[in-house]
Amino acid sequence: MIQKTVDTIIVGAGVAGIGCANQLDKKNNDFLVISKDIGGRILTSDDGIINYGAFFVCDDYTHVLPWVNRASRIRLSDFLFHEEGNTFQLYEPRLIWYAKDMIRIRRLLRQFRRLFHLFRKKVESSSQKTVLEQMPWLYELYMMNAVDFVKLHHLERGVERYLNKGLYSTTFSPVEKMNAFSFLEFLLPLITPIYTFVFQKDKVVEMLGDRFIAGEVGDIQFIDGGYRVKTNDAMYMSKNVVLATEIGWSSRYAGVHLMNRGVRTCMMHVRGVPKACIARKRYQMFCSPSNVQAIADNLDGTFLFYYRENPAPLHQFFKEVEVIASHVWDPAGRIDGHTLIDPDRGHGLFLVGDYNIVGLEESYITGVSAANQIIQKS
């Protein structure tokens, strides 16, 4: 039985789905959001205070910032690097040995950031694929391996000592597997302030109102010029469908056969007494191929422990430890590769999310872009 007919159905309520819904709401367009939760990979503790998934926001996230409350600023001096049993911090005396590399990378990041901001603005009314193909240097970066970019600009020493650990702990991918665009994107916190945050889920719930359906989509069919979207207990009709889900799920309906490789991470929220090796700084960073990816001190006696595969070596870092919660993301994102997917799949079907470029702001903007195309067509 058909429960309701609307202009647009958005499947998924992560940041991309929220971006699409909010843009349609601004223009008074008819829509429904169907999702098992709100926030997607902005997964939080039961009290909504500790972020398990997306951990920080940059101060240039102009679309995402209205939906979060910024908390403490994360500073480079808060990090401790781990490598083969040794620990060191960024601001150590030997940093002077790597000064030329760090100066070069900051210069490249400033150049990248200027174009990246322009890229974001253009994507609001186009697509990431189209805009990248129109911006030669950004397109070249996307198609280049990060290791080749590092060699081209003589950054090997600084990357080996510091940057590969920061990237592995924030992307869960080694530099050897990522493209140069992702390499620079995830180093932007070197020149851009970043903050922990609290997701304002109540604000999203208020915006969506009765247009949010809690459930999981079981099937999508294109019949007689429209879509039938089935959940476990209902069916809905629409002219447009926006797939705001992980591309591995969306691909079956969007006809996508080639996509970037996913990266895996596991997380444990633990209460424990830290050993000396992690007690000096709030954030611990590791390098590939370490099973441990990152450790974050929540300053309330609890920690977030990120790792690749079980068993998690908790007792290597804690004297006493109790697991509060755990979660596995597989994938946690698609950092590795050079594939560009067109979001407009035809007949009013759109893909949104971080299947091309990973990041909260980037995901949100793909939702805005799809909404703007729907608005323009209607």
Side-chain angles (χ1 to χ4, degrees):
M1 178 179 176
I2 297 174
Q3 297 288 328
K4 193 171 185 179
T5 300
V6 295
D7 187 62
T8 300
I9 291 176
I10 303 167
V11 182
V15 289
I18 294 169
C20 185
N22 187 56
Q23 190 70 3
L24 292 174
D25 179 62
K26 288 179 180 178
K27 301 297 183 181
N28 296 315
N29 273 53
D30 188 32
F31 70 89
L32 280 178
V33 175
I34 303 175
S35 180
K36 63 182 179 180
D37 55 25
I38 292 177
R41 277 175 277 182
I42 305 182
L43 183 66
T44 65
S45 55
D46 289 342
D47 59 10
I49 300 300
I50 307 299
N51 289 317
Y52 292 162
F55 190 78
F56 65 84
V57 291
C58 296
D59 75 349
D60 62 355
Y61 281 8
T62 56
H63 293 84
V64 171
L65 287 178
W67 303 100
V68 304
N69 288 324
R70 279 187 287 187
S72 60
R73 181 170 176 180
I74 301 174
R75 300 182 183 276
L76 297 177
S77 57
D78 295 332
F79 294 99
L80 189 68
F81 300 102
H82 295 251
E83 185 173 31
E84 297 180 347
N86 298 315
T87 61
F88 54 94
Q89 54 190 337
L90 178 61
Y91 297 118
E92 57 176 351
R94 71 168 62 187
L95 178 61
I96 192 68
W97 298 352
Y98 306 91
K100 289 184 179 179
D101 286 35
M102 302 310 284
I103 290 170
R104 279 194 290 266
I105 191 62
R106 290 177 72 89
R107 184 176 66 247
L108 288 164
L109 285 172
R110 285 193 292 269
Q111 178 184 354
F112 176 77
R113 184 172 62 179
R114 285 194 299 271
L115 290 175
F116 196 28
H117 286 172
L118 178 60
F119 167 81
R120 284 174 172 169
K121 188 65 179 175
K122 289 185 174 184
V123 170
E124 291 180 18
S125 56
S126 185
S127 73
Q128 290 178 341
K129 181 178 185 295
T130 299
V131 176
L132 269 182
E133 290 170 347
Q134 294 171 349
M135 302 182 73
W137 191 55
L138 294 187
Y139 182 77
E140 179 184 346
L141 290 173
Y142 194 88
M143 294 301 168
M144 180 185 292
N145 293 325
V147 290
D148 294 330
F149 180 84
V150 168
K151 292 176 183 177
L152 177 65
H153 294 280
H154 310 292
L155 304 170
E156 294 94 333
R157 296 175 72 248
V159 169
E160 178 65 25
R161 179 66 177 175
Y162 301 107
L163 303 183
N164 66 345
K165 299 164 186 65
L167 288 165
Y168 185 63
S169 294
T170 52
T171 68
F172 311 126
S173 177
V175 172
E176 292 77 14
K177 291 187 177 181
M178 65 178 60
N179 63 53
F181 189 105
S182 295
F183 172 82
L184 290 174
E185 179 191 359
F186 283 92
L187 287 178
L188 283 174
L190 289 174
I191 62 169
T192 306
I194 61 173
Y195 300 84
T196 59
F197 68 93
V198 177
F199 176 49
Q200 297 186 58
K201 184 176 179 178
D202 291 347
K203 191 172 180 180
V204 179
V205 171
E206 181 182 357
M207 182 270 292
L208 294 177
D210 61 2
R211 296 170 295 187
F212 176 74
I213 305 295
E216 295 189 53
V217 171
D219 190 33
I220 301 172
Q221 296 180 351
F222 183 69
I223 300 174
D224 297 331
Y227 289 93
R228 292 184 181 180
V229 179
K230 296 181 181 179
T231 65
N232 291 336
D233 55 5
M235 180 160 54
Y236 304 88
M237 294 288 294
S238 67
K239 289 194 302 181
N240 307 293
V241 168
V242 177
L243 298 174
T245 57
E246 208 287 314
I247 187 67
W249 185 90
S250 301
S251 60
R252 73 188 80 174
Y253 302 111
V256 175
H257 305 290
L258 183 64
M259 62 195 78
N260 290 330
R261 295 180 296 275
V263 293
R264 169 188 170 92
T265 191
C266 309
M267 180 281 308
M268 286 187 177
H269 184 193
V270 303
R271 181 177 289 106
V273 178
K275 291 185 177 180
C277 60
I278 65 169
R280 292 167 53 195
K281 296 289 183 179
R282 185 175 180 186
Y283 302 107
Q284 316 298 318
M285 292 191 159
F286 299 80
C287 62
S288 177
S290 169
N291 187 33
V292 183
Q293 296 164 321
I295 305 173
D297 185 347
N298 297 318
L299 303 181
D300 61 356
T302 72
F303 299 78
L304 297 180
F305 191 92
Y306 296 90
Y307 61 102
R308 286 189 295 115
E309 302 288 346
N310 285 313
L314 293 172
H315 292 286
Q316 183 179 340
F317 300 95
F318 297 95
K319 300 175 186 177
E320 302 172 12
V321 65
E322 169 196 359
V323 178
I324 300 170
S326 63
H327 193 80
V328 177
W329 289 273
D330 192 8
R334 295 187 179 272
I335 305 291
D336 305 334
H338 310 277
T339 301
L340 283 172
I341 300 171
D342 192 335
D344 187 346
R345 311 307 295 177
H347 304 293
L349 181 66
F350 297 89
L351 286 170
V352 301
D354 56 4
Y355 48 86
N356 287 329
I357 299 171
V358 175
L360 285 181
E361 183 76 357
E362 281 53 64
S363 291
Y364 190 101
I365 293 172
T366 63
V368 173
S369 176
N372 284 336
Q373 291 180 65
I374 291 169
I375 292 165
Q376 184 178 10
K377 290 179 180 179
S378 64

